[in-house]
Amino acid sequence: MGGSGSGSGSVKDVQSKQEHDNLVRSGAPVIVHFWASWCEASNHMDQVFSHLSTDFPHAHFLRVEAEEQPEISEAYSVSAVPFFVFSKDGKTVDTLEGADPSSLANKVAKVAGPINHGEPAAPASLGLAAGPTVLETVKEFAKENGPSHVDNKGKPGVNDALKGRLQQLIESNPVMVFMKGSPDEPRCGFSRKVVDILKEEKVLFGSFDILLDNEVREGLKKYSNWPTFPQLYCKGELLGGCDIVIAMHESGELKEVFRDHGIPSDSENAKVTEAGSGKGGISESTGLSTTLSSRLESLVNSSPVMLFMKGKPDEPKCGFSHKSVEILEQEKVEFGSFDILSDEEVRQGLKVYSNWSSYPQLYIKGELIGGSDILLEMQKSGELGKVLAEKGIIQKESLEDRLRKLIASSPVMLFMKGTPDAPRCGFSSKVVNALAEEGVRFGSFDILTNEEVRQGLKVFSNWPTFPQLYYKGELIGGCDIVLELKENGELKSTLSE
């Protein structure tokens, strides 16, 4: 699909970052569509995009092939296509991911309208221009496929055989680069740059020329949810593309990641020894101020299990942090976390404090355990569970276990609003009275005091309202059923079988 889908030629294919930057700097409204030839949703949205460009002639509509222009893609952290970026007055004002024609129209109208002649920029104009057929097609497509966000978990679009092959390739070397061309003959400037950096870092690395194998080339974009090349992996985890590698190299972080994952320098050909666990020399010579030292100490001890990571547990910002969170969740332990990207002082200070130069870092009861590699090894060998148990860290009960225990805490158990002495709703009050009149002894739980139990119980018992009465762990029912049993003279016998 070479040119734009519309004959008007009002969509421009961007050839360089320079060209893109100049247009954004001009201050005019700019809408950029990041697309990929292999993505069907991109092609569908492209039709809508070109129709919009004729509706809003005063804005610049640009197309960027995500993979051909990694510099622009990485500047906006594009990790899935289709992806749209909206700029005005030289600043990014909005983004949109996925195939959603009406959102696209609304956002374009917001940034590019109203059209000069004072008429309102109604996204309806999209309907007129695009014609119902295009819109229907895209809507249908979006319905069937969801946003074409390449989701990391399910890794859709990559069959098991290919997935296995990609995994094998990624893990074939501790450091692995997927590039255009070979290290001796890179076939694009970005690939050359990454190879130069790896040589400068003096690490041994494997490489794969994606130009020779289209299946790997297309599969890897979906598998790793990263649409451009080169892609650099360390111990099976994606570090990123050219821009990210350059930034990590310049900040010294790349060297640290390699060192902490035991990647030998070419010059030594020996395994770099792991930085010692434990508090490697917190002495005056570390140069940490006393205030920072005590702040780090209280952070490290702020939770029995404490993870210093990039991002947050529900939004990790790097593969290694993601892995560590996954391991802790599998071990069913509660843990505190700290996003080191949010605090440069902690980020740099902790490396010195613990003599451990990269992230994530896991501490148990104030002691450094290590990074994601060590965690994974300890989990596999069962040692992690042992250490947690020895330190008295108990697995957090799943909600289901907790509900079972609560339900079983008394042979007759009532989940109600309020307490038997002070019910907080008429239905709860009626059930309490019915039980009292029959002389039935019962335990009770006030669901107004605990939202987790309240919501969990509805799902657990598949019963959406309260009160709920249980006998020997089985649900009897709510207010209506209890009153009916009482009227029929069956309540007492049901609760004492």
Side-chain angles (χ1 to χ4, degrees):
M1 205 180 79
S4 144
S6 111
S8 70
S10 41
V11 175
K12 188 167 181 10
D13 281 296
V14 175
Q15 300 308 329
S16 71
K17 188 162 191 298
Q18 185 68 46
E19 181 186 6
H20 162 274
D21 292 354
N22 289 344
L23 283 169
V24 169
R25 260 188 238 122
S26 74
V30 177
I31 299 102
V32 186
H33 174 200
F34 289 88
W35 68 288
S37 51
W38 49 268
C39 172
E40 221 180 317
S42 284
N43 298 330
H44 283 298
M45 286 302 281
D46 195 52
Q47 296 180 44
V48 178
F49 192 65
S50 66
H51 283 297
L52 280 165
S53 71
T54 53
D55 283 352
F56 295 94
H58 304 293
H60 295 287
F61 285 75
L62 311 179
R63 292 195 329 164
V64 171
E65 190 160 357
E67 188 196 335
E68 298 308 321
Q69 303 285 344
E71 232 188 323
I72 311 177
S73 299
E74 289 188 22
Y76 291 109
S77 308
V78 177
S79 66
V81 286
F83 188 83
F84 300 89
V85 174
F86 306 82
S87 307
K88 196 177 189 170
D89 304 325
K91 287 194 285 291
T92 302
V93 290
D94 209 348
T95 59
L96 170 68
E97 187 178 281
D100 184 342
S102 54
S103 281
L104 178 63
N106 282 317
K107 287 175 187 258
V108 167
K110 222 193 306 187
V111 72
I115 305 169
N116 274 7
H117 326 304
E119 67 250 33
S125 63
L126 166 73
L128 303 174
T133 45
V134 174
L135 274 184
E136 282 316 302
T137 316
V138 180
K139 277 189 189 133
E140 275 310 297
F141 183 84
K143 234 197 342 245
E144 282 163 36
N145 298 275
S148 91
H149 180 50
V150 188
D151 177 22
N152 225 349
K153 293 198 183 65
K155 303 193 170 149
V158 180
N159 63 42
D160 287 348
L162 177 57
K163 202 189 294 187
R165 188 177 165 217
L166 294 173
Q167 228 157 348
Q168 233 171 351
L169 276 172
I170 289 170
E171 290 167 5
S172 61
N173 284 277
V175 178
M176 186 70 190
V177 63
F178 291 82
M179 61 183 288
K180 294 183 179 177
S182 65
D184 303 333
E185 282 185 47
R187 297 278 293 280
C188 84
F190 303 110
S191 292
R192 168 173 291 116
K193 189 79 200 142
V194 169
V195 166
D196 288 347
I197 286 174
L198 291 173
K199 287 179 176 165
E200 223 173 292
E201 294 279 353
K202 296 197 171 69
V203 291
L204 295 160
F205 62 94
S207 73
F208 185 93
D209 181 356
I210 52 130
L211 298 176
L212 300 179
D213 190 318
N214 209 44
E215 191 186 35
V216 169
R217 178 179 184 165
E218 298 310 336
L220 203 55
K221 296 176 190 173
K222 296 178 185 172
Y223 179 84
S224 292
N225 192 8
W226 193 271
T228 60
F229 290 98
Q231 293 180 11
L232 180 66
Y233 292 78
C234 174
K235 291 277 179 94
E237 296 289 346
L238 175 67
L239 292 181
C242 183
D243 279 17
I244 290 175
V245 172
I246 292 173
M248 287 177 74
H249 172 61
E250 285 170 356
S251 71
E253 199 182 334
L254 195 56
K255 189 175 254 45
E256 292 167 1
V257 166
F258 288 153
R259 191 172 83 200
D260 279 356
H261 288 86
I263 309 292
S265 280
D266 210 352
S267 52
E268 304 155 41
N269 278 329
K271 187 174 161 114
V272 178
T273 47
E274 288 286 359
S277 148
K279 311 260 193 323
I282 308 168
S283 63
E284 293 319 303
S285 64
T286 60
L288 290 181
S289 68
T290 13
T291 41
L292 179 56
S293 274
S294 63
R295 184 176 171 216
L296 293 173
E297 192 165 352
S298 64
L299 272 175
V300 164
N301 289 290
S302 60
S303 179
V305 180
M306 189 66 192
L307 182 66
F308 291 83
M309 62 182 288
K310 295 185 179 175
K312 303 186 178 70
D314 43 359
E315 268 186 69
K317 287 285 188 38
C318 83
F320 301 113
S321 291
H322 179 69
K323 189 82 207 145
S324 303
V325 167
E326 231 170 43
I327 290 171
L328 291 172
E329 283 175 349
Q330 284 161 4
E331 294 289 332
K332 287 198 179 146
V333 291
E334 302 214 20
F335 61 97
S337 73
F338 185 93
D339 178 2
I340 52 122
L341 298 178
S342 68
D343 191 316
E344 193 57 24
E345 191 185 36
V346 169
R347 180 179 187 166
Q348 299 310 334
L350 201 57
K351 295 178 188 178
V352 178
Y353 178 86
S354 296
N355 189 13
W356 190 271
S357 53
S358 70
Y359 292 96
Q361 294 181 13
L362 180 75
Y363 294 78
I364 295 180
K365 293 278 175 90
E367 290 293 326
L368 175 68
I369 300 295
S372 61
D373 277 20
I374 290 177
L375 267 187
L376 190 57
E377 271 165 39
M378 287 176 70
Q379 185 193 34
K380 280 185 184 152
S381 68
E383 197 187 335
L384 186 57
K386 280 197 200 109
V387 171
L388 290 164
E390 273 165 24
K391 302 271 185 198
I393 287 146
I394 48 172
Q395 292 198 328
K396 67 174 173 216
E397 262 186 321
S398 72
L399 179 57
E400 204 168 301
D401 294 338
R402 190 177 166 205
L403 294 174
R404 277 188 221 283
K405 268 190 201 162
L406 272 174
I407 290 169
S409 62
S410 177
V412 179
M413 185 67 190
L414 178 66
F415 291 83
M416 62 181 289
K417 294 183 180 176
T419 61
D421 303 335
R424 296 278 293 280
C425 85
F427 301 112
S428 293
S429 170
K430 280 182 184 162
V431 172
V432 167
N433 290 339
L435 292 171
E437 282 165 28
E438 296 288 329
V440 175
R441 294 181 55 179
F442 62 96
S444 75
F445 184 93
D446 179 359
I447 52 126
L448 297 177
T449 62
N450 190 310
E451 191 56 21
E452 196 183 26
V453 169
R454 179 179 185 165
Q455 298 309 333
L457 208 53
K458 294 180 187 176
V459 179
F460 181 81
S461 297
N462 194 9
W463 190 271
T465 59
F466 291 96
Q468 293 180 11
L469 183 68
Y470 291 79
Y471 176 61
K472 292 195 174 166
E474 294 295 326
L475 176 68
I476 302 296
C479 181
D480 290 359
I481 290 175
V482 172
L483 295 183
E484 203 174 301
L485 284 170
K486 183 170 182 286
E487 275 165 33
N488 301 341
E490 294 166 15
L491 184 58
K492 191 152 190 166
S493 58
T494 304
L495 299 179
S496 54
E497 279 161 3

